Amino acid sequence: MMPLEVEHLRTAYGPVVVNRDVSLTVHQHEIVTILGPNGAGKSTLLRAISGLLRPRNGVIRFDGKKVTGRPAAQMAALGVVMVPEGRHIFPDLTVQENLRLGAYCRKDRDAVEEDIRLMESYFHVLATKRGAKGSNLSGGQQQMLAIARGLMARPRILLLDEPSLGLSPLLIKDVRAVIMDVRAKFSAAVLLVEQNAGLALAVADRGYLLQHGDIVASGVIAELRDNRLMHELYLGHGRSGKASIRGNQ
Amino acid sequence: MEIFIQQLVNSLSVASVTILIGIGITLIFGLAGIVNFAHGEFLMVGGMITWFLVTSGLNFFAALLGAMILVGALGFIAERGLFRFTLERPMNGFIMSIGMSVILQHVVIRIFNEVQKTIPDPIGKVWVIGGVDIIAMRGVVVALTAVVVAITYFGISRSRYGMALRASIADQDTAALMGIPVRRYVTGVFVYGSVLAGLGGALMIALFPITPFTGSVVIIRGFAVSLIGGLGNVGGAVGGGLLLGLVDGLSAGYGFPEWTDAYSLVVMIAILIVRPQGLFGGTLGPRST
Ligand SMILES: Nc1ncnc2c1ncn2[C@@H]1O[C@H](COP(=O)(O)OP(=O)(O)OP(=O)(O)O)[C@@H](O)[C@H]1O
Ligand SMILES: [Mg+2]
């Protein structure tokens, strides 16, 4: 069973093409990462999958069903839920209201209340800040809330866009534990976008390396870790490496 | 003192109409970024429908319901048929709405004429409260508006839909990621605002004569109210409406009545310069990721 299949996806903002031809799959219970430098087109790819951005071309399938171009609200209802880059907590809503909104598309109201308790037991800070406005949380707290809010939808696949951004090393460790638990406790697949290769390589089963909008390497993590491009991009043979990759395209 | 209380009730009843239109403007702008200049004409059309139904022999309160429903339908058609296509370009929507307001005026002139319309006072009673004479219809206008304000306020602050609406106003894309059908909320808010404009028109013609050009006067006051209160902020629109209503009423009672509109607009300009976000804080229009 393949929850998510992306084939030959092309995205653009107006005339500016970002992803030219991207194909990827995420299997059930899998944690898959998309790595890549600044501006590689990782967020754009996730926005297209989550329905925020209509792809120019290509096919997105979920559970074997074609879902290309469906609006984000419908994708969320199907179980494809994105936690956007930069958290985007609703600043004037309380922590509880943020969580409750995460479950907007669910019909089982009683289970939603239970899930709020579950999130609070899981992310303790959410229990202590229950009535606080979203804007009164620290960056790390907001990130925890953003992930919890995503989980409130009971997603089949959770799309995480740079959850470690701006967090301290200690909090990054927490995020790492949470991602592992998403699979274990919520039996959801995860598609994780990261610039922090350390975190991504530690949690993911497989990965794709994105550069200038397209996939330049992919494989199981052990292979990807040893990939030459990975080394050039992340272990800093900086400029010469980038030049040679451009030459390859 | 007696005159003061009468002035107060009069100002409140005028403020009511302004508040009803201000709530619609503030919600529609807050969620959809649509500055609907034709909102004043929606009110005028509501008044004209009421006039037509009442002169055809219908009871005023039935006519009022009819005006709310028909103007709500007008709002639905305008949103689905026109404004939906300019959501990405709010300035186009604004210009379009100016065009629409002129068209609506002319349609009304075509169907009826440009002569001002009045209906007899629907209640035709005077209440004596604490020795002060108060025209009953004015009291009813204030009471009905208070009920609408309360329903709107609690709907937005307490209900699940209100919470989703506030989230959509704050951040459309993220709201959509939660599964909130933002476009449907835009339609809903547009229709709700239009229904309130229909109500405002019905209440207005119960107090004053209406002409096909009444809308353009009302819309300025509606914008003033929603800007003073902070766009997107319903409580602010109510506060702004009360403030303007009182400035109007008291200036009419104690100053120069012919300057009434100028006073309220001076208040608006002063507040916008000193507090650009409005007195109670609002949004800058829809935001996305
Ligand atoms: N709304 C937009 N309009 C036009 N261009 C955009 C828009 N958003 C992103 N871009 C451009 O698309 C390209 C890819 O951006 P994207 O945000 O997808 O990269 P990213 O891999 O997520 O980067 P980062 O690691 O910095 O988050 C960049 O060149 C960016 O400038
Ligand atoms: Mg990004």
Side-chain angles (χ1 to χ4, degrees):
Chain A
M1 197 62 189
M2 260 182 229
L4 183 71
E5 296 169 278
V6 173
E7 283 169 16
H8 306 299
L9 197 75
R10 183 182 180 86
T11 61
Y13 296 106
V16 184
V17 175
V18 178
N19 305 108
R20 250 169 310 178
D21 182 355
V22 170
S23 300
L24 60 83
T25 56
V26 181
H27 299 265
Q28 212 159 14
H29 301 307
E30 219 182 5
I31 301 180
V32 174
T33 185
I34 299 172
L35 286 162
N38 250 312
K42 309 181 294 294
S43 297
T44 306
L45 181 57
L46 280 203
R47 287 170 62 84
I49 296 173
S50 67
L52 283 183
L53 182 70
R54 185 179 272 276
R56 290 294 166 89
N57 214 335
V59 179
I60 300 169
R61 258 188 280 275
F62 186 62
D63 268 345
K65 202 166 50 176
K66 206 174 134 183
V67 293
T68 326
R70 290 213 193 174
Q74 280 183 34
M75 292 302 287
L78 285 175
V80 181
V81 173
M82 176 159 87
V83 177
E85 183 176 359
R87 297 152 200 146
H88 290 272
I89 296 304
F90 299 112
D92 293 333
L93 301 189
T94 65
V95 167
Q96 276 222 333
E97 289 176 324
N98 268 281
L99 287 175
R100 200 161 284 134
L101 272 182
Y104 182 88
C105 45
R106 283 171 63 179
K107 303 274 178 286
D108 47 346
R109 298 290 160 75
D110 297 338
V112 167
E113 294 307 310
E114 267 171 44
D115 271 3
I116 291 180
R117 299 287 98 75
L118 181 68
M119 292 305 158
E120 288 179 347
S121 69
Y122 200 43
F123 305 94
H124 291 293
V125 59
L126 301 185
T128 58
K129 294 263 178 180
R130 200 174 281 171
K133 294 229 163 132
S135 53
N136 290 341
L137 268 54
S138 72
Q141 292 167 343
Q142 287 192 349
Q143 187 62 64
M144 295 303 165
L145 176 55
I147 297 176
R149 185 179 62 180
L151 288 172
M152 283 300 296
R154 287 271 165 188
R156 309 262 322 279
I157 177 165
L158 191 66
L159 316 178
L160 290 172
D161 196 349
E162 305 215 30
S164 75
L165 195 72
L167 298 193
S168 68
L170 208 67
L171 282 171
I172 291 180
K173 256 179 134 173
D174 284 354
V175 168
R176 180 166 149 180
V178 167
I179 294 171
M180 303 294 281
D181 277 6
V182 169
R183 166 164 61 189
K185 296 195 178 152
F186 294 84
S187 64
V190 177
L191 183 56
L192 169 68
V193 158
E194 264 300 340
Q195 274 197 61
N196 180 336
L199 169 67
L201 295 176
V203 298
D205 306 310
R206 277 192 308 120
Y208 296 87
L209 181 60
L210 210 62
Q211 213 198 358
H212 305 308
D214 285 313
I215 291 171
V216 291
S218 65
V220 296
I221 286 302
E223 284 172 24
L224 203 60
R225 196 180 275 129
D226 295 333
N227 186 287
R228 181 181 57 86
L229 289 173
M230 275 294 288
H231 280 259
E232 282 170 359
L233 279 169
Y234 282 97
L235 302 173
H237 310 293
R239 225 189 281 150
S240 65
K242 272 185 186 160
S244 78
I245 289 164
R246 265 208 196 97
N248 287 346
Q249 287 176 351
Chain B
M1 190 61 199
E2 196 175 307
I3 290 182
F4 177 77
I5 290 175
Q6 276 172 350
Q7 278 307 338
L8 198 67
V9 173
N10 288 354
S11 332
L12 281 178
S13 62
V14 176
S16 294
V17 173
T18 318
I19 287 170
L20 287 175
I21 195 158
I23 291 177
I25 289 173
T26 212
L27 279 178
I28 291 170
F29 179 81
L31 179 60
I34 297 171
V35 177
N36 179 15
F37 209 79
H39 206 70
E41 272 64 38
F42 284 20
L43 176 137
M44 178 273 290
V45 168
M48 290 294 174
I49 290 170
T50 308
W51 169 81
F52 177 76
L53 293 177
V54 167
T55 48
S56 317
L58 207 64
N59 170 282
F60 169 76
F61 290 97
L64 173 147
L65 264 185
M68 288 168 75
I69 293 168
L70 290 176
V71 177
L74 177 65
F76 180 80
I77 293 167
E79 200 278 328
R80 282 291 163 100
L82 299 172
F83 289 104
R84 169 138 303 202
F85 303 104
T86 62
L87 281 180
E88 310 291 321
R89 292 177 183 274
M91 188 46 87
N92 291 9
F94 175 63
I95 307 283
M96 190 172 76
S97 75
I98 293 179
M100 206 166 107
S101 78
V102 176
I103 292 170
L104 282 174
Q105 288 171 8
H106 284 268
V107 168
V108 168
I109 292 172
R110 262 282 141 133
I111 297 178
F112 305 121
N113 50 43
E114 68 249 6
V115 180
Q116 71 173 31
K117 311 273 181 291
T118 50
I119 58 169
D121 184 325
I123 299 180
K125 277 199 192 115
V126 173
W127 289 333
V128 184
I129 299 174
V132 182
D133 289 352
I134 291 170
I135 297 169
M137 190 59 213
R138 297 203 166 216
V140 169
V141 167
V142 174
L144 273 179
T145 304
V147 169
V148 166
V149 165
I151 291 173
T152 309
Y153 190 79
F154 284 106
I156 287 177
S157 57
R158 296 291 151 81
S159 80
R160 177 178 126 88
Y161 299 108
M163 196 164 74
L165 176 63
R166 280 181 290 145
S168 306
I169 288 176
D171 186 339
Q172 291 204 359
D173 278 0
T174 307
L177 290 176
M178 312 285 106
I180 298 168
V182 179
R183 285 286 170 106
R184 233 177 279 165
Y185 275 81
V186 170
T187 309
V189 159
F190 208 97
V191 170
Y192 187 69
S194 305
V195 168
L196 295 193
L199 173 64
L203 295 182
M204 193 165 176
I205 201 169
L207 302 179
F208 314 104
I210 281 185
T211 78
F213 307 106
T214 296
S216 44
V217 180
V218 170
I219 189 71
I220 301 290
R221 301 176 56 76
F223 276 130
V225 160
S226 35
L227 285 166
I228 289 172
L231 284 163
N233 182 339
V234 169
V238 175
L242 291 176
L243 184 72
L244 269 201
L246 291 182
V247 170
D248 281 2
L250 298 179
S251 68
Y254 296 103
F256 309 90
E258 65 270 28
W259 284 94
T260 293
D261 280 329
Y263 283 130
S264 50
L265 293 176
V266 166
V267 170
M268 175 190 80
I269 291 169
I271 288 176
L272 288 184
I273 288 173
V274 180
R275 278 190 62 92
Q277 286 280 83
L279 272 191
F280 307 97
T283 78
L284 297 171
R287 268 167 271 168
S288 47
T289 27

